[in-house]
Amino acid sequence: MAFQIPADYASRPAVVVGAGTLGRRIAVMLASGGVDVRVYDPDAGVRAAAERYIEQTLPGVVASRADANAGNFSGTGDLGEALAGAWLVVEAVPEKLELKKQVFGQLDELAEPDAILASNSSSYASRLFLDHVAHPERVLNTHFYMPPEQNAVDVMSSGRTDRAVLDFMLETLPRFGVHPFEVRRESTGFIFNRIWAAIKREALEVVAEGVSTPQDVDGMFQVNTGASGGPFRLMDKVGLDVVLDIEEHYAAENPNLPEGPRKLLGEYISQGRLGVKSGAGFYDDYPKP
Ligand code: NAD
């Protein structure tokens, strides 16, 4: 049976499950499209921090777009209450496969029959979340980067997603100030994260081979692309341990990747240089934690 698209979505709430770094940012974008947004997180402290973040950020986002208009938002620790009547659920819980499987099982059981269930996972295809899901045709990946600053969204099928759901999301997401791009085949790292991974990898390799330094690579990157920062500065911001985890994930799938980038990251990490969060990484000019 074809999936019934929630055509009346504009008058129904959207839900974000997990109110951490990304969840609260996704909530801001959804609320800026004028729909009411409910944020579910089991941690009351996180919910309160997310509400403060949304309250502070939403007015600026609404003011930056002529078509924007602020919806209401509220936090709750009751999943059933959050899901009642909702047309869209975006999952943004920690990046743990078993947890995601369990959450998608719950969402599939408790959400409205026409609710679309989307995952913000950075590294798992939604195909992997279907073990306890009876209606896989409504499950997909919608991978937000870092809204409201970086507003691209990868939209990827689980392999069993109804085509109408993908088309509906590609058509509807721009209303919320984000730019959807379809990932046309299953891809670890989707579209842009994969390209960015290649840039980071080659930048690290150039330094690992002794061809250049982090400072010179960043300087050249800025001069030639006009970007405000280079890959090493950005890796310091993300955290070198996180960058290494991501690269190891790609290397596990592709044994032909060079080892130099992982070795170089490992050397910095073993000296306690994790980037901004530890006060030093490729650069030293960060406040000491
Ligand atoms: P986070 O740790 O900041 O937030 C996760 C939140 O989920 C926490 O507030 C936690 O209390 C909550 N949570 C835990 N169990 C839950 C449950 N069962 N139900 C509901 N909420 C629960 O994580 P994050 O960085 O926001 O990442 C969330 C997702 O977004 C991950 O899949 C990650 O891969 C993806 N992502 C992260 C980034 C990033 O830069 N941080 C970028 C793009 C995508």
Side-chain angles (χ1 to χ4, degrees):
M1 201 179 68
F3 182 76
Q4 200 60 43
I5 291 296
D8 58 349
Y9 75 94
S11 59
R12 292 169 56 184
V15 176
V16 178
V17 173
T21 309
L22 258 285
R24 62 189 67 175
R25 289 166 176 267
I26 294 167
V28 164
M29 300 319 288
L30 293 174
S32 79
V35 301
D36 290 350
V37 177
R38 298 180 189 147
V39 178
Y40 165 72
D41 197 295
D43 185 324
V46 171
R47 284 201 305 273
E51 284 179 338
R52 276 196 304 278
Y53 173 84
I54 299 168
E55 206 175 292
Q56 285 164 5
T57 315
L58 184 57
V61 172
V62 168
S64 71
R65 294 202 323 272
D67 65 338
N69 147 28
N72 298 316
F73 59 90
S74 56
T76 172
D78 181 329
L79 184 58
E81 187 183 295
L83 296 173
W87 65 279
L88 173 68
V89 187
V90 182
E91 168 277 311
V93 305
E95 193 70 344
K96 295 186 184 129
L97 185 53
E98 279 314 310
L99 175 64
K100 303 254 186 202
K101 282 185 186 179
Q102 183 208 320
V103 167
F104 270 89
Q106 272 181 314
L107 296 179
D108 188 47
E109 195 188 324
L110 298 174
E112 302 293 344
D114 65 347
I116 293 171
L117 309 181
S119 173
N120 191 54
S121 173
S122 293
S123 53
Y124 295 116
S126 49
R127 170 176 61 79
L128 302 169
F129 306 153
L130 302 177
D131 289 10
H132 315 298
V133 168
H135 299 286
E137 65 279 4
R138 57 172 166 165
V139 175
L140 78 164
N141 289 90
T142 55
H143 173 249
F144 293 73
Y145 280 73
M146 192 56 78
E149 288 90 25
Q150 294 173 350
N151 288 322
V153 181
D154 295 297
V155 175
M156 187 171 92
S157 168
S158 71
R160 297 169 69 187
T161 315
D162 193 316
R163 183 68 234 175
V165 171
L166 294 163
D167 289 339
F168 176 73
M169 291 304 283
L170 290 164
E171 190 187 306
T172 310
L173 281 171
R175 173 187 172 139
F176 301 97
V178 296
H179 304 270
F181 293 88
E182 183 173 0
V183 184
R184 290 159 196 263
R185 289 182 56 185
E186 189 177 300
S187 163
T188 300
F190 307 107
I191 302 171
F192 196 77
N193 265 356
R194 246 176 91 169
I195 294 166
W196 181 242
I199 294 170
K200 282 183 292 185
R201 188 176 301 128
E202 199 59 21
L204 288 160
E205 183 67 3
V206 157
V207 171
E209 287 177 7
V211 173
S212 185
T213 63
Q215 291 72 15
D216 278 0
V217 170
D218 279 1
M220 207 162 177
F221 195 87
Q222 286 172 259
V223 167
N224 274 351
T225 66
S228 59
F232 287 93
R233 198 51 105 172
L234 241 149
M235 285 189 266
D236 270 357
K237 273 194 198 157
V238 171
L240 302 192
D241 50 341
V242 177
V243 175
L244 180 58
D245 278 350
I246 294 168
E247 181 60 5
E248 276 174 348
H249 193 107
Y250 285 112
E253 285 196 358
N254 179 358
N256 298 323
L257 294 182
E259 281 179 48
R262 277 168 281 155
K263 280 194 177 153
L264 185 68
L265 287 166
E267 282 166 26
Y268 277 80
I269 293 166
S270 67
Q271 294 165 31
R273 300 174 70 102
L274 302 180
V276 175
K277 64 185 167 192
S278 71
F282 291 113
Y283 292 84
D284 288 317
D285 54 354
Y286 307 118
K288 296 294 164 213

